[in-house]
Amino acid sequence: LPLTNLERPEPADPKMMNPQVLFNHIREAQEDINAKREGVYVLRDFHLLNDTHAIKRGLRDLKEYPTRNYNPIIVVSPIVNIPVEHEKLFTIVTYDVPSKKEVERLVNTMARNIESARSKGRDLKVPTETERKQLVNACLGLTFNEISDVFAKSLVRYKELSLQAVMEEKIQLVKKSGVLDYVIPKFNFEDIGGNHAFKEWVLEVEDAMSDEALEFGCQRPKGYLALGIPGTSKTVSAEAIANKWGIPLLKLNMSRIMDKLVGQSEQKIEQAFRVAKACAPAILLIDEVEKALGGIRSSNSSDAGTTARVFGKVLEFLNEDTGVFTVMTSNDVSQLPPELTRSGRLDAMWYFSLPTKDERKEIFRIHLGKTGKEVTDELVDTAAVASENFTGAEIAETVKIAMRKAFKRFKEDGVNAILPEDVEDAAKEVIPIFKSSREKIMALEAWAQGRARSTNHLNTSGVEESSDDQLLGDILQLER
């Protein structure tokens, strides 16, 4: 029904707020011999009261025995919380959010109402056909009441049905959930050097998400798993994708999901996925997934199976066509369960390796360009040589240190520039993770060969040769 035709329910009789009084009233109606008293009883938020023995027993007495009159009971609740004693008494009916066609009808109705208001002198803007389609897609996942409220706010604030107002409503929805963070992307692909194979794949996926591709028969992309060394732009790439596609970026905070109370963790992960679906199309980022789901093998003995059940909810979510593009990052693939990495859960598994020399040049040009100083080929070449086996994050730190050294030298010689020797001295102060965790990196490189796609077009290890090639070769051979 149109929202304007829905009638508000009458306030409940204060006497009926007492469950025992209500049960007595229903029992009298059921056993009334003189008059046929049939009716439907709607108990709103009854799940807040059904935890006492008297209420549990009273409800069973009402429904487990034959009665003269037909008096069905409907319990309206935002959550499914049925006591074991009542499981056979109820049939669960789930009310989903409005479908796309229902949202289209609501948007078109609002557009006609606005057009009618304009004819009466109201200063309102009627949405165009293109704007209506955008509004429909933006409102998917919201309830009728939420859509009605956000349109009312938008007409007051913007004098039109604004996409900005819908996005603000979804941001509030994320914040209220308490288990998701709304991330405002700060990076785009121009801020990321290298990873050309990955960038080409992102363009292909973006094309496959269009309505034309779906009509052609393409399946909606689900997401990818990003493996690699810390500091190789795995998380930044998720922000860049959200920025490019112009969709929300939601970050799942697993520390808020896990709860010591039995059943709470499962409810929280389901709530997080419900909110993510409500914000679709969106990107859901699960950062360092191995820390949250890496312990399912010992879950039954360590946490009574909580992690295993949460992991099951994650797999169920990945199997659904939700319109949510999931991005998972991991620094230690050995801790990931095989169910997560099997084909079909996600569209690809990408390995973010150490940047090659040419990629380091690109990264240095990006970060040096942000300093406002002149960037010469000599400076970039020197920086790329001095930063062998550096990650992108370590290159950014090198530029930061080089600026400090350039400023110190500027006060002495007055040369307002970053010189090659500044970058060389800065690189010596950075201890790359390749040196501090060499064995782990080589094991990860060896595992990724043949199992994951490389972001930099390399089919073999992305690690460049160093002075101790024999040691690295022995480690690689051992891992194979």
Side-chain angles (χ1 to χ4, degrees):
L1 294 176
L3 293 176
T4 53
N5 293 342
L6 292 179
E7 295 182 359
R8 295 286 181 181
E10 292 295 330
D13 187 340
K15 293 185 295 184
M16 295 303 174
M17 300 300 288
N18 186 324
Q20 199 58 51
V21 174
L22 173 65
F23 291 161
N24 292 336
H25 175 82
I26 298 176
R27 187 175 296 108
E28 291 174 1
Q30 290 176 338
E31 301 300 333
D32 193 339
I33 300 176
N34 299 322
K36 190 175 182 181
R37 294 170 58 187
E38 291 187 345
V40 178
Y41 293 86
V42 180
L43 312 184
R44 289 179 287 176
D45 295 331
F46 190 71
H47 66 286
L48 300 174
L49 300 174
N50 63 3
D51 58 348
T52 64
H53 171 74
I55 294 177
K56 292 179 180 179
R57 183 67 260 177
L59 192 58
R60 291 181 63 186
D61 289 341
L62 287 176
K63 304 311 297 180
E64 286 184 342
Y65 302 104
T67 60
R68 299 178 186 274
N69 301 319
Y70 179 60
N71 299 99
I73 296 176
I74 299 175
V75 174
V76 181
S77 171
I79 63 174
V80 178
N81 185 21
I82 302 177
V84 177
E85 298 89 342
H86 295 165
E87 286 180 351
K88 295 185 178 180
L89 301 181
F90 288 96
T91 298
I92 298 178
V93 180
T94 302
Y95 286 79
D96 206 348
V97 294
S99 66
K100 188 171 184 178
K101 288 185 178 180
E102 291 171 327
V103 176
E104 284 178 352
R105 286 200 295 267
L106 180 58
V107 171
N108 290 333
T109 299
M110 290 295 299
R112 288 194 296 269
N113 292 341
I114 293 174
E115 193 169 0
S116 175
R118 273 184 59 86
S119 64
K120 298 177 181 178
R122 296 288 300 278
D123 183 20
L124 299 175
K125 177 185 175 184
V126 179
T128 64
E129 189 65 28
T130 301
E131 290 173 339
R132 292 186 191 186
K133 292 181 179 179
Q134 293 174 340
L135 285 167
V136 169
N137 292 330
C139 289
L140 291 177
L142 298 177
T143 66
F144 276 123
N145 285 341
E146 288 171 338
I147 296 173
S148 178
D149 289 344
V150 72
F151 281 175
K153 295 176 184 176
S154 178
L155 291 175
V156 171
R157 182 178 301 177
Y158 301 107
K159 305 299 182 182
E160 63 176 346
L161 300 183
S162 169
L163 283 174
Q164 178 66 24
V166 178
M167 294 310 301
E168 290 173 357
E169 180 69 18
K170 289 194 170 184
I171 292 175
Q172 287 297 318
L173 188 66
V174 172
K175 291 180 178 179
K176 292 174 185 177
S177 71
V179 291
L180 290 173
D181 295 324
Y182 189 94
V183 180
I184 299 177
K186 301 178 182 177
F187 303 95
N188 51 47
F189 279 126
E190 286 71 26
D191 299 317
I192 302 174
N195 296 336
H196 297 293
F198 174 74
K199 293 177 180 178
E200 292 174 5
W201 179 81
V202 170
L203 294 176
E204 181 181 314
V205 168
E206 182 181 12
D207 197 29
M209 296 178 73
S210 64
D211 293 338
E212 183 180 0
L214 297 178
E215 292 177 1
F216 181 78
C218 295
Q219 293 186 357
R220 193 187 307 275
K222 293 184 177 181
Y224 67 91
L225 175 63
L227 310 173
I229 306 161
T232 51
S233 73
K234 299 188 297 299
T235 303
V236 170
S237 294
E239 293 192 31
I241 294 175
N243 217 338
K244 179 173 177 53
W245 294 353
I247 59 178
L249 175 60
L250 313 178
K251 185 175 181 180
L252 181 62
N253 194 326
M254 290 300 296
S255 63
R256 301 179 192 169
I257 296 293
M258 307 309 290
D259 197 293
K260 62 182 179 180
L261 298 178
V262 177
Q264 287 297 311
S265 300
E266 295 87 332
Q267 290 185 8
K268 287 182 177 181
I269 193 71
E270 287 181 348
Q271 180 188 7
F273 290 151
R274 281 198 302 270
V275 173
K277 293 175 187 177
C279 294
I283 294 178
L284 178 63
L285 173 62
I286 307 179
D287 212 6
E288 297 184 353
V289 64
E290 76 279 359
K291 294 182 179 178
L293 302 176
I296 65 169
R297 295 183 181 89
S298 59
S299 178
N300 288 330
S301 57
S302 61
D303 59 8
T306 298
T307 302
R309 291 192 295 272
V310 169
F311 177 66
K313 297 294 183 183
V314 173
L315 295 184
E316 289 178 11
F317 176 75
L318 294 177
N319 286 335
E320 298 176 3
D321 182 12
T322 60
V324 178
F325 191 79
T326 304
V327 178
M328 297 184 181
T329 69
S330 175
N331 299 325
D332 187 359
V333 71
S334 64
Q335 297 185 30
L336 294 179
E339 297 91 336
L340 190 64
T341 57
R342 79 158 175 83
S343 179
R345 299 284 189 206
L346 297 168
D347 298 297
M349 186 187 307
W350 285 97
Y351 178 64
F352 287 70
S353 181
L354 293 172
T356 62
K357 183 177 180 179
D358 288 338
E359 289 178 325
R360 293 200 301 274
K361 289 182 179 180
E362 289 185 39
I363 299 172
F364 266 111
R365 285 191 183 277
I366 291 172
H367 290 288
L368 288 171
K370 294 179 180 179
T371 64
K373 308 299 180 185
E374 182 181 3
V375 182
T376 63
D377 292 339
E378 179 187 3
L379 178 62
V380 172
D381 291 338
T382 301
V385 173
S387 60
E388 183 179 357
N389 292 326
F390 275 32
T391 65
E394 290 161 354
I395 290 175
E397 183 65 18
T398 301
V399 173
K400 178 181 175 181
I401 297 174
M403 278 293 290
R404 291 205 308 261
K405 293 187 175 298
F407 176 68
K408 179 181 179 182
R409 180 189 42 74
F410 166 72
K411 293 191 296 182
E412 298 174 355
D413 59 16
V415 178
N416 187 0
I418 299 179
L419 302 181
E421 52 265 30
D422 297 329
V423 178
E424 288 179 329
D425 292 340
K428 294 176 183 178
E429 295 186 9
V430 177
I431 300 177
I433 193 173
F434 176 75
K435 289 186 177 180
S436 59
S437 302
R438 182 179 304 154
E439 291 78 8
K440 292 182 179 179
I441 291 176
M442 294 310 302
L444 184 59
E445 292 272 352
W447 186 94
Q449 294 184 32
R451 293 185 176 96
R453 300 176 63 178
S454 177
T455 59
N456 56 11
H457 287 293
L458 294 178
N459 295 322
T460 58
S461 171
V463 178
E464 298 185 24
E465 295 184 357
S466 60
S467 58
D468 45 2
D469 296 332
Q470 187 60 44
L471 173 61
L472 299 182
D474 292 342
I475 294 174
L476 187 58
Q477 187 63 34
L478 178 62
E479 292 298 331
R480 284 174 175 169

